[in-house]
Amino acid sequence: MNRPVPHDRRIRLVLFDRDGTLVEDVPYNGDPDLVRPVPHAGEALALLRARSIATGVVTNQSGVARGLLSTADVRRVNERVDALLGPFDAWAICPHGPDDGCHCRKPQPGMVLQAAARLGVPPDETAVIGDIGADVEAARRAGALGVLVPTPVTRPEETAAAEHVAPDLLTAVRALLPAGPPQGHVPDDERPPAVLSASDRRPR
């Protein structure tokens, strides 16, 4: 399945879901030693940073509201993610549960808007990459570009509904890159492809 990304859209900020998108999904993880980047995550982020595209993380952490995690647990795991894949320009964390009625928990757009505002980037120059429908819906509600990178937990209906889908994180990022090389040398096989195919994940 090929769903082209509009290359006339300038992207200055890419926000990533954390679990299942940047790092392997460990449900309600409070242990930094269990953090494992997904394949090619470092390479994908390096491509963005080479083009001076800002990066950030927007993550639902309802384990805090459920009493399964402390805010200190979340902070330690985030610090490990940042050590392995950062530094990220912005972090936005929602500690609320699904029934708390907050404006930050994806699919609400609060974290996307917060991160973009913090970095001075308009939502329409922002992309969100995630593995479930809530990630791309948060992007849509914020006025950002959403890209789904499906995993085994992504529901078929979420993949079917996503406007832009890619098979993996590296493909998703390459499809967002501006045409032409970054400052400095980039091998030909790292140029952005013409189309994008991907997925989304389960809300947290």
Side-chain angles (χ1 to χ4, degrees), residues 115-126:
R118 188 180 304 160
L119 297 175
V121 178
D124 64 357
E125 295 183 1
T126 299

Side-chain angles (χ1 to χ4, degrees), residues 84-102:
L84 292 172
L85 297 173
F88 291 95
D89 300 292
W91 281 83
I93 300 103
C94 173
H96 304 110
D99 300 322
D100 288 347
C102 69

Side-chain angles (χ1 to χ4, degrees), residues 4 10 12 18 24 28 32 43 51 57 60 65 71-72 74 112 142-143 164 172 181:
R10 181 189 183 198
R12 295 171 50 206
R18 193 190 79 178
E24 300 294 343
Y28 306 117
E43 183 181 354
R51 290 162 173 81
V57 180
N60 288 351
T71 55
V74 174
V112 177
H164 305 296

Side-chain angles (χ1 to χ4, degrees), residues 1 11 50-51 70 76 80 124 140 186 193 195 203:
M1 155 192 344
I11 298 298
R51 290 162 173 81
S70 68
R76 284 191 294 267
R80 181 59 175 162
D124 64 357
R140 187 191 68 79
V186 173
V195 295

Side-chain angles (χ1 to χ4, degrees), residues 126-152:
T126 299
V128 179
I129 299 177
D131 66 326
I132 58 172
D135 298 316
V136 293
E137 178 62 14
R140 187 191 68 79
R141 294 183 187 185
L145 176 69
V147 181
L148 183 69
V149 177
T151 69

Side-chain angles (χ1 to χ4, degrees), residues 3-194:
R3 298 183 190 166
V5 167
H7 283 287
D8 58 345
R9 184 163 179 169
R10 181 189 183 198
I11 298 298
R12 295 171 50 206
L13 168 63
V14 180
L15 300 172
F16 297 87
D17 170 56
R18 193 190 79 178
D19 303 313
T21 300
L22 283 177
V23 298
E24 300 294 343
D25 187 12
V26 178
Y28 306 117
N29 182 29
D31 184 352
D33 290 338
L34 297 181
V35 174
R36 299 285 184 275
V38 303
H40 306 294
E43 183 181 354
L45 289 159
L47 288 175
L48 294 170
R49 291 167 181 149
R51 290 162 173 81
S52 299
I53 297 173
T55 60
V57 180
V58 288
T59 177
N60 288 351
Q61 294 297 322
S62 68
V64 175
R66 299 172 197 269
L68 302 173
L69 295 170
S70 68
T71 55
D73 292 332
V74 174
R75 183 180 67 252
R76 284 191 294 267
V77 170
N78 288 345
E79 287 171 350
R80 181 59 175 162
V81 174
D82 209 54
L84 292 172
L85 297 173
F88 291 95
D89 300 292
W91 281 83
I93 300 103
C94 173
H96 304 110
D99 300 322
D100 288 347
C102 69
H103 297 291
C104 47
R105 179 178 169 82
K106 295 175 288 184
Q108 295 298 324
M111 287 192 290
V112 177
L113 294 171
Q114 178 189 36
R118 188 180 304 160
L119 297 175
V121 178
D124 64 357
E125 295 183 1
T126 299
V128 179
I129 299 177
D131 66 326
I132 58 172
D135 298 316
V136 293
E137 178 62 14
R140 187 191 68 79
R141 294 183 187 185
L145 176 69
V147 181
L148 183 69
V149 177
T151 69
V153 301
T154 309
R155 293 172 178 164
E157 59 267 30
E158 293 175 325
T159 303
E163 185 176 2
H164 305 296
V165 179
D168 54 62
L169 184 62
L170 186 56
T171 302
V173 165
R174 283 176 169 167
L176 297 172
L177 297 175
Q183 298 176 1
H185 176 69
V186 173
D188 288 342
D189 63 359
E190 291 185 359
R191 298 295 176 82

